Amino acid sequence: MNYVKAKDLVTFKTGKLDSNAAEEGGLYPFFTCAQTTYQINSFAFDTECVLLAGNNASAIFPLKYFNGKFDAYQRTYIIETKQKNQLNIRYFYFFLIPYLKSFEQQATGATTKFLTMKILNNIQVALPEIEVQDKIAEILSAYDDLIETNNQRIATLEQLAQQIYKEWFVRMRFPGWENTAFQHGIPDGWEELPFAGLVDILSGGTPSTNTISYWNGDVLFFTPKDANTNCIYAFDTEKKITDQGLENCNSSLYEPNTVFITARGTVGKVNLNLYSMAMNQSCFALRGKTGISQSYLFFATKSNVDSMKSIANGATFDAITIDSFSRFKALKPTSDLINKFDDILIPFLNEIKCIVEVNINLTRIRDLLLPRLISGKLSIKQAEAFTP
């Protein structure tokens, strides 16, 4: 296999804009160092390229492929091939995916981690014949396309679920509302309580990082870095601990459908956990008290996040504390209405779970295929047989 340094194959440019240049509902994608792709109403680039975050406080560098008009933040790398008959840029995108972990280790800086040109220029790129690159990119893109289609399905289901919650519990158009008496804007049978009156608030903790036997086990360990902004469910974690590590920290193993809310770092992100997870001290785990289901609690928590943030530390917030949950009011509907809500919402959530698990498998297969295709252990013809 022929290996060539990245600096001989691609060019590295950066955007020119500040990260706050995004415009809601803009016509073009706006790529920053965040995982989320924003929008903007102007474009500075019209090309096929790989986009790679150049800095990140958590040393997590989002990687994306795009072809078309867009603009970019000044620390986002726009990577283009020098010669299309030598390097397929989408092949290069897939080739970089396994490097993301090593980027975390190589990045420089104390509070903010930076990917330098020295790191990127010296990547040794496996370079099969261009026809082979084209086929590899085509095969792996089929997985990405299906994953993206599934993500759109998840987003649609989430939006529908969110709208049902708002219709019933914010706009007060729940089943039977026409025949329900209201007192001071609250339906009869409902209660107005401090939010803490709806939930048991549970904390986490981190096992000693100096004890090797506590780490790299099979127990998922949720931190603010793992908050999933693209889906209701958190399903993977950057770090994992051992059973011994779990025994030697202040976290329990929280069962699926616990509500996780990030309290420091990335503040106010809300997820349900797809699998059992431990949790660090920068988050809270919420379980509904009697009569409060986890599906209702998830949407009620998301609906009240802004109140929680503003009460916590004013306009500029750094943390949510246990006290924050007691300092604003929330409504407790009747148990009968929450049960009816569950009857409608749980099928939505179950469908989302199924799609997430399909995407997990598609991603795993895609990432396994690349090294086997490059090494020749798996032929193009064999891989095509598995293409979704």
Side-chain angles (χ1 to χ4, degrees), residues 320-333:
I320 293 172
T321 65
I322 288 180
D323 181 58
S324 303
F325 296 95
S326 299
R327 297 179 61 192
F328 66 95
K329 300 288 188 180
L331 293 175
K332 180 183 179 181

Side-chain angles (χ1 to χ4, degrees), residues 102-122:
S102 66
F103 286 161
E104 294 177 29
Q105 299 165 354
Q106 296 177 63
T108 62
T111 55
T112 299
K113 299 295 183 180
F114 292 90
L115 273 182
T116 64
M117 286 303 304
K118 182 178 179 181
I119 295 169
L120 299 175
N121 278 330
N122 289 320

Side-chain angles (χ1 to χ4, degrees), residues 151-220:
N151 285 337
Q152 292 172 9
R153 293 171 61 201
I154 289 170
T156 299
L157 289 166
E158 287 190 18
Q159 289 167 9
L160 289 170
Q162 188 74 49
Q163 286 304 313
I164 293 170
Y165 173 84
K166 288 181 177 179
E167 187 70 11
W168 287 27
F169 303 112
V170 177
R171 303 183 188 104
M172 298 298 177
R173 295 296 190 265
F174 51 86
W177 70 272
E178 306 96 325
N179 302 315
T180 301
F182 286 71
Q183 301 293 331
H184 305 293
I186 300 173
D188 281 355
W190 294 33
E191 296 180 73
E192 187 177 38
L193 305 169
F195 191 84
L198 304 180
V199 298
D200 293 320
I201 305 165
L202 309 167
S203 300
T206 301
S208 171
T209 55
N210 296 321
T211 305
I212 296 174
S213 61
Y214 292 171
W215 295 91
N216 299 317
D218 297 322
V219 179
L220 296 170

